[in-house]
Amino acid sequence: MSSHLFLATFFVYVIGMIVFGWWISRNDRGTGDDFLLGGRSVPLFLTIGTTVATMVGTGSSMGAVGFGYVNGWGGALYGIGGAIGVLLLAICFSGIRKMRFMTMSEELSYYVGANRLVRNVVALLIYIACIGWLGAHILGGGLYLAWMADIPSWQAKIIVALGFGVYCVVGGYMAVVWTDTVQAIVLFVGFFLMAAVAVVDAGGFEAIKAAADPSAISFLGIEKIGLIPAISLSTVIAVGVLATPSFRQRIYSGSSVGSVRRSFLVTGLLYMAFSVVPAIIGMATYALNPNLETSNFAFPYLATEVLPLWLGLLLLVAGLSATMSSASSDAIAGVATLIRDIYVLVKGRAPSAQNVVRFSRIALVGTIGLALAFALSSDDVISYITRMVSTVLAGMFVCGVLGRFWPRYNWQGAIASLIVASVTSLAVIANADWSAFWGNPSIPAVTLSALAGIIVTLLTPASRLSEEEALELISEERKRMEAVPEVTVGKASPV
């Protein structure tokens, strides 16, 4: 496939998304809720669309297909973990929509008496996590583009960052939600078509089975990966979904608790069905060419060297759609935390309503720039994601679960959970034997973090504030950002 043809198709697609995002958001009133949460009125079908598109991100495309290329049915583990995570979100956390949180740091601090220290620490961790996720998406998209355009990877990463960054800055959250929904359709059509055609071109499942390492075609590739590392991979992805701020934003921005719950249940079931697709694509690619330089190129190799031109173009755009849809969501989530929480940490007060959109756009540029800097330092998508999740998000996962279901949990326990999770993760990463046994640090990090949180909570006093008092404290501070601009004073914000 001509690199010029692909680049032309890609640029037309990106320009179309930018124009579409601008058109969708052109009537926003310009409040913080509008730009960062879509006015808290995102309907069911848009919540499904944006959540599906965010789920089918860089790990599910480049990462999971590459993992399936090497480990056969193990490529489904990523999708299974993600599906479990989003289903648990629907069951356990959709009810927090009624509390009108704006960021995950607000939510986690609420669980421990609106403690300011917990909120500040979590806000910093969330911002780091958003930069990490964003960097992973830039990294994955850059690898695609570098392969296709035959340009250095650093140039490709810059182009990808600019591609989704523009429509985020122009249109805000509603632009992200609508473009995600369009991209979700492209993604599902593209990936299922790719799997079907790849199986046919490889000679059918019998030919794929004959070409594969026998251990790779065992149940979920467990004979090749190992039971503990396989469980760890699904666990780290599930923990990532349950603790990633962009998925919490889907809850905060939904039109109602019921709408959020239904959309997450549908997304979880769709994603569970999708989980086998990257594994099939990876195994088929291995049957066609077992000698690729790196497994990360399994997806673009199939699209460029094997499939018909029209389908290859569609699928390469689908792969980049996966990157851009997920990246745009993490960018908005990071900026919401930066404006709502870190700004308050630095300035001592929330920004006024008339400044939120302007500050958010400036923050988007800075956040995407930071993520790009981190992405320029790595080329391994799955390793990048799993290490970042274990180190940064495991403690927040524990805080969310214990805080949601154990009223006794306090701020001292939350801080202990956060510290122990990160220390444990870094210790496992630093020890080659431990890393080989566990696969990634998620299970020990979550286990020890939970134990530390429980023990420290039991050894320290309970929170002095009731849940109602904590929620009122958070809500009062947020009202400054939720105010309607002066030209429309008197119009109530949507609930």
Side-chain angles (χ1 to χ4, degrees), residues 299-480:
F299 183 94
Y301 164 79
L302 190 62
T304 57
E305 304 295 332
V306 177
L307 301 181
L309 177 62
W310 68 270
L311 183 55
L313 283 171
L314 172 64
L315 293 168
L316 287 165
V317 169
L320 285 165
S321 292
T323 291
M324 293 192 298
S325 62
S326 299
S328 58
S329 298
D330 288 311
I332 288 288
V335 167
T337 299
L338 186 63
I339 295 298
R340 172 66 185 98
D341 299 305
I342 297 177
Y343 183 96
V344 175
L345 172 62
V346 175
K347 300 286 287 186
R349 57 183 173 80
S352 59
Q354 60 265 34
N355 289 326
V356 171
V357 174
R358 178 166 59 90
F359 288 175
S360 296
R361 287 184 168 132
I362 294 170
L364 272 169
V365 173
T367 299
I368 293 170
L370 281 173
L372 176 60
F374 282 105
L376 291 171
S377 67
S378 178
D379 284 318
D380 186 342
V381 178
I382 290 291
S383 175
Y384 183 102
I385 291 174
T386 55
R387 291 189 176 197
M388 186 274 294
V389 170
S390 300
T391 303
V392 179
L393 297 185
M396 292 197 297
F397 163 76
V398 171
C399 287
V401 172
L402 289 181
R404 179 84 170 124
F405 298 105
W406 189 30
R408 176 66 173 80
Y409 195 53
N410 62 11
W411 71 265
Q412 294 95 329
I415 294 295
S417 296
L418 294 168
I419 293 173
V420 169
S422 294
V423 170
T424 302
S425 179
L426 292 172
V428 172
I429 290 171
N431 188 299
D433 291 337
W434 294 353
S435 293
F437 177 79
W438 291 107
N440 67 72
S442 60
I443 293 177
V446 167
T447 302
L448 294 181
S449 173
L451 286 174
I454 292 169
I455 292 170
V456 172
T457 294
L458 293 175
L459 294 176
T460 52
S463 173
R464 296 180 179 179
L465 293 182
S466 66
E467 291 183 350
E468 293 75 15
E469 291 170 330
L471 184 60
E472 180 62 24
L473 189 64
I474 293 170
S475 299
E476 283 297 322
E477 184 183 86
R478 191 177 55 237
K479 285 179 181 178
R480 175 181 170 87

Side-chain angles (χ1 to χ4, degrees), residues 68-308:
Y69 179 87
V70 175
N71 300 294
W73 287 114
L77 291 168
Y78 194 106
I80 291 171
I84 291 170
V86 79
L87 290 171
L88 288 174
L89 272 178
I91 296 167
C92 301
F93 290 96
S94 57
I96 63 175
R97 163 61 183 86
K98 63 180 180 289
M99 298 174 186
R100 302 189 84 251
F101 295 127
M102 194 171 194
T103 64
M104 193 173 175
S105 40
E106 279 188 351
E107 178 192 338
L108 296 189
S109 71
Y110 159 74
Y111 294 141
V112 292
N115 182 265
R116 173 65 64 180
L117 176 61
V118 169
R119 182 168 152 192
N120 291 342
V121 171
V122 169
L124 291 171
L125 288 175
I126 284 176
Y127 189 63
I128 293 169
C130 286
I131 291 173
W133 281 120
L134 190 52
H137 303 313
I138 294 172
L139 167 60
L143 291 174
Y144 280 123
L145 198 56
W147 171 283
M148 281 306 307
D150 193 25
I151 59 177
S153 63
W154 66 269
Q155 292 181 9
K157 291 170 186 176
I158 291 172
I159 292 171
V160 169
L162 289 173
F164 70 83
V166 172
Y167 70 75
C168 284
V169 172
V170 169
Y173 189 75
M174 285 309 296
V176 169
V177 167
W178 273 99
T179 53
D180 276 2
T181 301
V182 172
Q183 289 167 338
I185 297 170
V186 174
L187 286 167
F188 260 67
V189 171
F191 274 90
F192 277 96
L193 272 175
M194 187 179 205
V197 174
V199 169
V200 172
D201 285 355
F205 278 108
E206 287 303 317
I208 291 173
K209 182 178 178 180
D213 181 337
S215 63
I217 58 174
S218 62
F219 178 70
L220 296 178
I222 288 174
E223 290 183 13
K224 183 164 188 179
I225 303 168
L227 178 61
I228 298 299
I231 294 172
S232 289
L233 178 56
S234 284
T235 299
V236 77
I237 301 305
V239 167
V241 171
L242 284 159
T244 295
S246 60
F247 290 107
R248 283 301 212 280
Q249 268 200 309
R250 284 8 183 210
I251 297 175
Y252 309 150
S253 64
S255 59
S256 67
V257 171
S259 173
V260 171
R261 182 177 292 115
R262 289 192 297 274
S263 67
F264 278 18
L265 288 173
V266 170
T267 298
L269 294 175
L270 286 173
Y271 199 57
M272 186 67 77
F274 176 83
S275 65
V276 300
V277 173
I280 292 171
I281 295 172
M283 289 189 293
T285 307
Y286 185 86
L288 290 163
N289 184 355
N291 300 310
L292 287 179
E293 179 183 350
T294 169
S295 62
N296 281 333
F297 290 140
F299 183 94
Y301 164 79
L302 190 62
T304 57
E305 304 295 332
V306 177
L307 301 181

